[in-house]
């Protein structure tokens, strides 16, 4: 049975609040759009994950949170003297469609984007989806299933897709008509992803020396 498909109106509704980003994943059904939802609550600085997740994707979430916490001041998510984002609170990350098992590293950039959105209270662009693995240093690594993921984005009315720069060669497999309807944005570092994922960009050049 095919999973339910989303359209651009649903994407707009689901990212209407901060803390939600739109990812592209590969499953047994092929490429799919996958929303990632992050929220925080009073707690002891713990990370909670739900959505029938495998070990690799759980590790990706931990890496994402560590990177965001380490860059909190640079990202303007906290003042220099308040750099602990988790002081007195927990973070809960949920992958909807809990009946579908999920694993793999390609949600790394989507996880970071959801967390930055949560802590900054800035909404992610509803017309933009992304995929990519991320290292602890913030490098964006290539992932598989690019053709299927882009086709899924196209089916769901997504207009912009953020991909790892090293996946550029994989675009040759995507039908020209589909590519022509999308804006493909290439990312080398996590900062590149954030610059493209938010409506008015992330003004890195003003407050970060890369």
């Amino acid at each position: 049975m095919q999973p339910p498909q989303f359209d651009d109106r649903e994407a707009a509704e689901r990212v209407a609040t901060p803390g939600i980003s739109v990812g592209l994943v590969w499953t047994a059904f092929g490429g799919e759009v996958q929303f990632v939802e992050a929220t925080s609550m009073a707690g002891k600085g713990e990370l909670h994950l739900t959505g029938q997740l495998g070990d690799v994707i759980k590790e990706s979430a931990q890496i994402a949170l560590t990177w965001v916490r380490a860059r909190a001041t640079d990202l303007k998510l906290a003042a220099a003297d308040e750099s602990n984002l988790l002081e007195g609170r927990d973070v809960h990350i949920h992958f909807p469609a809990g009946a579908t098992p999920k694993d793999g590293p390609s949600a790394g950039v989507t996880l970071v984007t959801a967390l930055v959105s949560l802590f900054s209270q800035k909404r992610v662009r509803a017309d933009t989806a992304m995929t990519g693995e991320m290292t602890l240093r913030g490098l964006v690594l290539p992932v598989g299933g690019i053709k299927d993921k882009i086709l899924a984005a196209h089916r769901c009315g997504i207009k912009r897709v953020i991909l790892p720069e090293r996946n550029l060669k994989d675009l040759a497999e995507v039908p020209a008509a589909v590519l022509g309807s999308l804006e493909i944005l290439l990312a080398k570092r996590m900062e590149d992803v954030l610059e493209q994922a938010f409506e008015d960009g992330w003004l890195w050049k003003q407050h970060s020396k890369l």
Side-chain angles (χ1 to χ4, degrees):
M1 186 177 72
Q2 281 291 328
Q5 297 298 329
F6 304 107
D7 58 28
D8 54 347
R9 286 175 300 175
E10 182 168 352
E13 290 170 3
R14 292 180 71 158
V15 299
T17 56
I20 303 169
S21 57
V22 188
L24 298 170
V25 298
W26 195 91
T27 72
F29 298 109
E32 283 187 42
V33 168
Q34 171 68 65
F35 293 88
V36 174
E37 302 174 347
T39 191
S40 64
M41 67 222 98
K44 302 176 181 178
E46 297 176 351
L47 174 63
H48 305 277
L49 300 167
T50 51
Q52 200 176 160
L53 310 177
D55 289 341
V56 176
I57 205 166
K58 289 178 182 177
E59 289 178 0
S60 291
Q62 190 63 64
I63 290 169
L65 183 57
T66 297
W67 186 85
V68 173
R69 292 179 70 187
R71 299 300 299 270
T73 304
D74 291 340
L75 291 165
K76 299 295 186 186
L77 302 177
D81 58 348
E82 300 174 348
S83 58
N84 185 4
L85 286 176
L86 296 186
E87 186 71 46
R89 60 178 169 177
D90 291 352
V91 170
H92 183 171
I93 298 174
H94 179 58
F95 287 73
T100 305
K102 306 167 191 72
D103 204 7
S106 68
V109 298
T110 318
L111 284 157
V112 170
T113 302
L115 288 168
V116 170
S117 174
L118 171 68
F119 291 126
S120 68
Q121 286 297 292
K122 290 180 66 173
R123 291 184 298 179
V124 176
R125 291 182 59 145
D127 63 352
T128 303
M130 63 199 73
T131 187
E133 181 178 0
M134 195 199 74
T135 73
L136 201 53
R137 298 287 185 183
L139 293 176
V140 177
L141 302 182
V143 292
I146 293 299
K147 176 184 176 182
D148 288 338
K149 291 174 180 178
I150 290 179
L151 291 175
H154 177 67
R155 283 197 308 271
C156 297
I158 296 294
K159 303 301 182 187
R160 304 164 79 248
V161 175
I162 303 172
L163 299 177
E165 185 179 72
R166 286 165 58 188
N167 279 122
L168 177 61
K169 65 183 187 304
D170 298 300
L171 295 179
E173 301 175 4
V174 182
V178 172
L179 275 183
S181 69
L182 295 169
E183 182 181 1
I184 303 295
L185 306 157
L186 301 175
K188 193 173 185 177
R189 298 184 55 84
M190 193 59 224
E191 292 86 347
D192 301 328
V193 177
L194 296 177
E195 185 66 37
Q196 302 292 353
F198 292 88
E199 195 64 54
D200 51 356
W202 208 269
L203 303 179
W204 284 96
K205 293 175 184 176
Q206 293 185 15
H207 55 68
S208 180
K209 295 179 181 178
L210 300 178

